[in-house]
Short mmCIF file of all heavy atoms in Angstrom, two decimals:
data_model
loop_
_atom_site.label_atom_id
_atom_site.label_comp_id
_atom_site.label_asym_id
_atom_site.label_seq_id
_atom_site.Cartn_x
_atom_site.Cartn_y
_atom_site.Cartn_z
N VAL A 1 -27.98 2.19 13.26
CA VAL A 1 -27.14 1.01 12.98
C VAL A 1 -25.78 1.42 12.45
O VAL A 1 -24.75 0.87 12.85
CB VAL A 1 -27.85 0.07 11.99
CG1 VAL A 1 -26.90 -1.01 11.49
CG2 VAL A 1 -29.05 -0.59 12.65
N SER A 2 -25.75 2.41 11.55
CA SER A 2 -24.47 2.88 11.04
C SER A 2 -23.57 3.37 12.16
O SER A 2 -22.36 3.11 12.18
CB SER A 2 -24.70 4.01 10.02
OG SER A 2 -25.38 3.54 8.88
N ALA A 3 -24.15 4.10 13.10
CA ALA A 3 -23.38 4.59 14.24
C ALA A 3 -22.89 3.43 15.11
O ALA A 3 -21.76 3.42 15.58
CB ALA A 3 -24.22 5.55 15.07
N MET A 4 -23.73 2.42 15.30
CA MET A 4 -23.34 1.26 16.12
C MET A 4 -22.23 0.48 15.49
O MET A 4 -21.28 0.02 16.17
CB MET A 4 -24.55 0.35 16.35
CG MET A 4 -25.63 0.97 17.21
SD MET A 4 -27.13 -0.04 17.31
CE MET A 4 -26.59 -1.38 18.38
N LEU A 5 -22.26 0.32 14.19
CA LEU A 5 -21.22 -0.44 13.51
C LEU A 5 -19.89 0.30 13.50
O LEU A 5 -18.82 -0.31 13.43
CB LEU A 5 -21.63 -0.78 12.07
CG LEU A 5 -22.84 -1.68 11.94
CD1 LEU A 5 -23.20 -1.88 10.48
CD2 LEU A 5 -22.59 -3.02 12.61
N GLY A 6 -19.95 1.63 13.60
CA GLY A 6 -18.72 2.42 13.60
C GLY A 6 -18.26 2.86 14.96
O GLY A 6 -17.23 3.49 15.09
N GLU A 7 -19.06 2.55 15.99
CA GLU A 7 -18.75 3.02 17.35
C GLU A 7 -18.77 1.85 18.33
O GLU A 7 -19.42 1.91 19.37
CB GLU A 7 -19.78 4.05 17.81
CG GLU A 7 -19.84 5.30 16.97
CD GLU A 7 -20.99 6.20 17.40
OE1 GLU A 7 -21.66 5.89 18.40
OE2 GLU A 7 -21.21 7.21 16.74
N LYS A 8 -18.04 0.80 18.04
CA LYS A 8 -18.06 -0.36 18.93
C LYS A 8 -17.19 -0.08 20.16
O LYS A 8 -16.13 -0.65 20.36
CB LYS A 8 -17.57 -1.60 18.20
CG LYS A 8 -18.45 -2.02 17.04
CD LYS A 8 -19.78 -2.54 17.53
CE LYS A 8 -19.63 -3.89 18.14
NZ LYS A 8 -20.91 -4.46 18.60
N VAL A 9 -17.67 0.85 20.98
CA VAL A 9 -16.90 1.23 22.15
C VAL A 9 -16.96 0.15 23.21
O VAL A 9 -17.88 -0.66 23.25
CB VAL A 9 -17.42 2.56 22.75
CG1 VAL A 9 -17.25 3.67 21.75
CG2 VAL A 9 -18.88 2.42 23.14
N LEU A 10 -15.96 0.13 24.06
CA LEU A 10 -15.90 -0.85 25.12
C LEU A 10 -17.14 -0.71 26.00
O LEU A 10 -17.37 0.34 26.59
CB LEU A 10 -14.64 -0.63 25.95
CG LEU A 10 -14.28 -1.74 26.94
CD1 LEU A 10 -13.87 -2.99 26.19
CD2 LEU A 10 -13.14 -1.30 27.84
N SER A 11 -17.94 -1.76 26.06
CA SER A 11 -19.25 -1.62 26.70
C SER A 11 -19.28 -2.09 28.14
O SER A 11 -20.23 -1.86 28.85
CB SER A 11 -20.28 -2.42 25.90
OG SER A 11 -19.91 -3.79 25.90
N ALA A 12 -18.27 -2.81 28.58
CA ALA A 12 -18.30 -3.37 29.93
C ALA A 12 -17.08 -2.96 30.71
O ALA A 12 -16.01 -2.74 30.17
CB ALA A 12 -18.38 -4.90 29.85
N ALA A 13 -17.26 -2.84 32.03
CA ALA A 13 -16.12 -2.61 32.89
C ALA A 13 -15.27 -3.86 32.93
O ALA A 13 -15.78 -4.96 33.13
CB ALA A 13 -16.62 -2.27 34.30
N LYS A 14 -13.97 -3.74 32.69
CA LYS A 14 -13.10 -4.91 32.54
C LYS A 14 -12.19 -5.10 33.73
O LYS A 14 -11.03 -5.49 33.61
CB LYS A 14 -12.27 -4.78 31.25
CG LYS A 14 -13.11 -4.63 29.98
CD LYS A 14 -13.98 -5.86 29.75
CE LYS A 14 -14.75 -5.72 28.44
NZ LYS A 14 -15.64 -6.85 28.19
N ALA A 15 -12.72 -4.88 34.93
CA ALA A 15 -11.90 -5.05 36.13
C ALA A 15 -11.40 -6.46 36.29
O ALA A 15 -10.37 -6.72 36.88
CB ALA A 15 -12.71 -4.64 37.36
N ASP A 16 -12.18 -7.44 35.77
CA ASP A 16 -11.81 -8.85 35.94
C ASP A 16 -11.42 -9.48 34.62
O ASP A 16 -11.60 -10.66 34.39
CB ASP A 16 -12.98 -9.61 36.56
CG ASP A 16 -14.20 -9.61 35.65
OD1 ASP A 16 -14.29 -8.71 34.80
OD2 ASP A 16 -15.04 -10.51 35.79
N ALA A 17 -10.88 -8.67 33.68
CA ALA A 17 -10.44 -9.21 32.41
C ALA A 17 -9.37 -10.29 32.65
O ALA A 17 -8.62 -10.22 33.61
CB ALA A 17 -9.84 -8.10 31.53
N PRO A 18 -9.31 -11.33 31.81
CA PRO A 18 -8.34 -12.41 32.01
C PRO A 18 -6.92 -11.87 32.10
O PRO A 18 -6.54 -10.96 31.37
CB PRO A 18 -8.53 -13.28 30.77
CG PRO A 18 -9.91 -13.02 30.31
CD PRO A 18 -10.14 -11.56 30.61
N ALA A 19 -6.15 -12.45 33.01
CA ALA A 19 -4.75 -12.04 33.17
C ALA A 19 -3.87 -12.61 32.08
O ALA A 19 -2.77 -12.10 31.84
CB ALA A 19 -4.22 -12.46 34.54
N SER A 20 -4.34 -13.66 31.41
CA SER A 20 -3.54 -14.26 30.35
C SER A 20 -4.43 -14.93 29.31
O SER A 20 -5.59 -15.26 29.58
CB SER A 20 -2.57 -15.30 30.95
OG SER A 20 -3.27 -16.38 31.53
N PHE A 21 -3.89 -15.11 28.11
CA PHE A 21 -4.55 -15.77 27.01
C PHE A 21 -3.56 -16.77 26.42
O PHE A 21 -2.39 -16.43 26.22
CB PHE A 21 -4.97 -14.79 25.91
CG PHE A 21 -5.84 -13.66 26.40
CD1 PHE A 21 -5.26 -12.51 26.96
CD2 PHE A 21 -7.21 -13.72 26.31
CE1 PHE A 21 -6.04 -11.47 27.40
CE2 PHE A 21 -8.00 -12.67 26.75
CZ PHE A 21 -7.42 -11.54 27.31
N ARG A 22 -4.01 -17.97 26.13
CA ARG A 22 -3.14 -18.99 25.57
C ARG A 22 -3.78 -19.59 24.33
O ARG A 22 -4.94 -20.01 24.37
CB ARG A 22 -2.82 -20.07 26.58
CG ARG A 22 -1.78 -21.08 26.08
CD ARG A 22 -1.49 -22.17 27.11
NE ARG A 22 -0.40 -23.01 26.70
CZ ARG A 22 0.88 -22.76 26.96
NH1 ARG A 22 1.20 -21.68 27.68
NH2 ARG A 22 1.83 -23.56 26.54
N PHE A 23 -3.04 -19.63 23.24
CA PHE A 23 -3.50 -20.21 21.99
C PHE A 23 -2.52 -21.32 21.61
O PHE A 23 -1.47 -21.08 21.03
CB PHE A 23 -3.58 -19.15 20.89
CG PHE A 23 -4.46 -17.98 21.23
CD1 PHE A 23 -3.95 -16.89 21.91
CD2 PHE A 23 -5.80 -17.98 20.88
CE1 PHE A 23 -4.76 -15.81 22.23
CE2 PHE A 23 -6.61 -16.90 21.20
CZ PHE A 23 -6.10 -15.81 21.88
N SER A 24 -2.87 -22.57 21.97
CA SER A 24 -1.96 -23.68 21.71
C SER A 24 -2.24 -24.36 20.36
O SER A 24 -1.37 -25.01 19.79
CB SER A 24 -2.08 -24.72 22.82
OG SER A 24 -3.40 -25.23 22.88
N PHE A 25 -3.47 -24.23 19.85
CA PHE A 25 -3.87 -24.76 18.55
C PHE A 25 -3.63 -26.27 18.42
O PHE A 25 -3.35 -26.79 17.33
CB PHE A 25 -3.11 -24.04 17.40
CG PHE A 25 -3.31 -22.55 17.41
CD1 PHE A 25 -2.24 -21.68 17.48
CD2 PHE A 25 -4.59 -21.99 17.35
CE1 PHE A 25 -2.40 -20.31 17.48
CE2 PHE A 25 -4.77 -20.62 17.36
CZ PHE A 25 -3.68 -19.78 17.42
N ASP A 26 -3.79 -26.99 19.54
CA ASP A 26 -3.63 -28.45 19.47
C ASP A 26 -4.79 -29.10 18.72
O ASP A 26 -4.59 -30.13 18.05
CB ASP A 26 -3.54 -29.03 20.88
CG ASP A 26 -2.21 -28.72 21.55
OD1 ASP A 26 -1.23 -28.49 20.82
OD2 ASP A 26 -2.15 -28.72 22.78
N THR A 27 -5.98 -28.51 18.84
CA THR A 27 -7.14 -29.03 18.11
C THR A 27 -7.96 -27.83 17.61
O THR A 27 -7.71 -26.70 17.97
CB THR A 27 -8.05 -29.90 19.01
OG1 THR A 27 -8.72 -29.05 19.95
CG2 THR A 27 -7.25 -30.96 19.75
N ALA A 28 -8.94 -28.12 16.78
CA ALA A 28 -9.83 -27.08 16.26
C ALA A 28 -11.08 -26.94 17.11
O ALA A 28 -11.98 -26.19 16.74
CB ALA A 28 -10.21 -27.41 14.82
N GLU A 29 -11.14 -27.62 18.24
CA GLU A 29 -12.32 -27.60 19.09
C GLU A 29 -12.64 -26.18 19.53
O GLU A 29 -11.80 -25.44 20.03
CB GLU A 29 -12.08 -28.45 20.33
CG GLU A 29 -13.35 -28.83 21.06
CD GLU A 29 -14.23 -29.78 20.25
OE1 GLU A 29 -13.74 -30.84 19.85
OE2 GLU A 29 -15.38 -29.41 20.00
N GLY A 30 -13.89 -25.77 19.30
CA GLY A 30 -14.34 -24.45 19.72
C GLY A 30 -13.89 -23.32 18.80
O GLY A 30 -14.15 -22.16 19.09
N MET A 31 -13.25 -23.67 17.69
CA MET A 31 -12.73 -22.63 16.77
C MET A 31 -13.31 -22.88 15.38
O MET A 31 -13.25 -23.99 14.85
CB MET A 31 -11.20 -22.70 16.72
CG MET A 31 -10.58 -21.67 15.80
SD MET A 31 -8.77 -21.59 15.99
CE MET A 31 -8.29 -23.30 15.83
N LYS A 32 -13.90 -21.85 14.80
CA LYS A 32 -14.46 -21.97 13.45
C LYS A 32 -13.37 -21.68 12.43
O LYS A 32 -12.82 -20.59 12.37
CB LYS A 32 -15.62 -20.99 13.28
CG LYS A 32 -16.37 -21.18 11.97
CD LYS A 32 -17.62 -20.30 11.92
CE LYS A 32 -18.38 -20.53 10.64
NZ LYS A 32 -19.62 -19.72 10.58
N LEU A 33 -13.06 -22.68 11.62
CA LEU A 33 -12.02 -22.55 10.62
C LEU A 33 -12.62 -22.17 9.28
O LEU A 33 -13.62 -22.75 8.84
CB LEU A 33 -11.23 -23.86 10.49
CG LEU A 33 -10.45 -24.29 11.74
CD1 LEU A 33 -9.84 -25.66 11.53
CD2 LEU A 33 -9.36 -23.27 12.08
N GLY A 34 -11.99 -21.20 8.62
CA GLY A 34 -12.45 -20.78 7.31
C GLY A 34 -11.65 -21.43 6.21
O GLY A 34 -10.81 -22.32 6.43
N THR A 35 -11.88 -20.96 4.98
CA THR A 35 -11.18 -21.51 3.82
C THR A 35 -9.67 -21.30 3.96
O THR A 35 -9.23 -20.19 4.26
CB THR A 35 -11.68 -20.83 2.54
OG1 THR A 35 -13.09 -21.00 2.45
CG2 THR A 35 -11.00 -21.40 1.31
N GLY A 36 -8.92 -22.35 3.76
CA GLY A 36 -7.46 -22.25 3.84
C GLY A 36 -6.90 -22.29 5.25
O GLY A 36 -5.69 -22.16 5.45
N GLU A 37 -7.77 -22.46 6.27
CA GLU A 37 -7.34 -22.53 7.66
C GLU A 37 -7.45 -23.97 8.16
O GLU A 37 -8.48 -24.63 7.95
CB GLU A 37 -8.19 -21.62 8.53
CG GLU A 37 -8.16 -20.16 8.09
CD GLU A 37 -9.18 -19.29 8.81
OE1 GLU A 37 -9.93 -19.82 9.66
OE2 GLU A 37 -9.22 -18.08 8.52
N SER A 38 -6.42 -24.46 8.84
CA SER A 38 -6.46 -25.85 9.31
C SER A 38 -5.53 -26.03 10.50
O SER A 38 -4.65 -25.18 10.76
CB SER A 38 -6.07 -26.82 8.19
OG SER A 38 -4.72 -26.58 7.78
N ILE A 39 -5.72 -27.12 11.21
CA ILE A 39 -4.80 -27.51 12.27
C ILE A 39 -3.81 -28.52 11.69
O ILE A 39 -4.21 -29.61 11.26
CB ILE A 39 -5.56 -28.12 13.48
CG1 ILE A 39 -6.54 -27.09 14.06
CG2 ILE A 39 -4.58 -28.58 14.55
CD1 ILE A 39 -5.89 -25.82 14.56
N ALA A 40 -2.54 -28.15 11.66
CA ALA A 40 -1.49 -29.00 11.09
C ALA A 40 -0.77 -29.74 12.21
O ALA A 40 -0.70 -29.26 13.36
CB ALA A 40 -0.51 -28.16 10.28
N LYS A 41 -0.20 -30.90 11.89
CA LYS A 41 0.46 -31.73 12.90
C LYS A 41 1.90 -31.35 13.19
O LYS A 41 2.43 -31.64 14.26
CB LYS A 41 0.40 -33.20 12.48
CG LYS A 41 -1.03 -33.76 12.44
CD LYS A 41 -1.04 -35.22 12.08
CE LYS A 41 -2.45 -35.77 12.12
NZ LYS A 41 -2.49 -37.22 11.76
N ASP A 42 2.57 -30.72 12.25
CA ASP A 42 3.98 -30.37 12.43
C ASP A 42 4.08 -29.14 13.33
O ASP A 42 4.39 -28.03 12.89
CB ASP A 42 4.63 -30.11 11.08
CG ASP A 42 6.14 -29.85 11.21
OD1 ASP A 42 6.70 -30.21 12.26
OD2 ASP A 42 6.72 -29.28 10.27
N ALA A 43 3.81 -29.35 14.63
CA ALA A 43 3.69 -28.22 15.56
C ALA A 43 5.03 -27.83 16.16
O ALA A 43 5.98 -28.62 16.16
CB ALA A 43 2.71 -28.59 16.66
N PHE A 44 5.07 -26.61 16.68
CA PHE A 44 6.24 -26.17 17.45
C PHE A 44 6.29 -26.93 18.76
O PHE A 44 7.34 -27.41 19.20
CB PHE A 44 6.15 -24.67 17.68
CG PHE A 44 7.26 -24.11 18.53
CD1 PHE A 44 8.56 -24.04 18.05
CD2 PHE A 44 6.99 -23.64 19.82
CE1 PHE A 44 9.58 -23.51 18.84
CE2 PHE A 44 8.01 -23.12 20.60
CZ PHE A 44 9.31 -23.07 20.11
#
């Protein structure tokens, strides 16, 4: 277990990794918010 926690090597071939990532933060849907984290309305 110690080795696994320190050796999180890339386990899968990523030939089809997403070409893009978008974080719009319009809602908190699907995102776990912790203490002090929130979705604010005064957006860019």
Side-chain angles (χ1 to χ4, degrees):
V1 169
S2 295
M4 292 173 74
L5 296 178
E7 298 174 5
K8 297 292 286 182
V9 297
L10 192 67
S11 60
K14 302 297 183 182
D16 63 338
S20 64
F21 305 84
R22 186 180 187 89
F23 303 88
S24 60
F25 303 123
D26 287 336
T27 71
E29 198 67 56
M31 180 170 52
K32 187 173 182 179
L33 296 174
T35 303
E37 302 171 359
S38 63
I39 300 299
K41 294 183 178 180
D42 184 19
F44 177 70

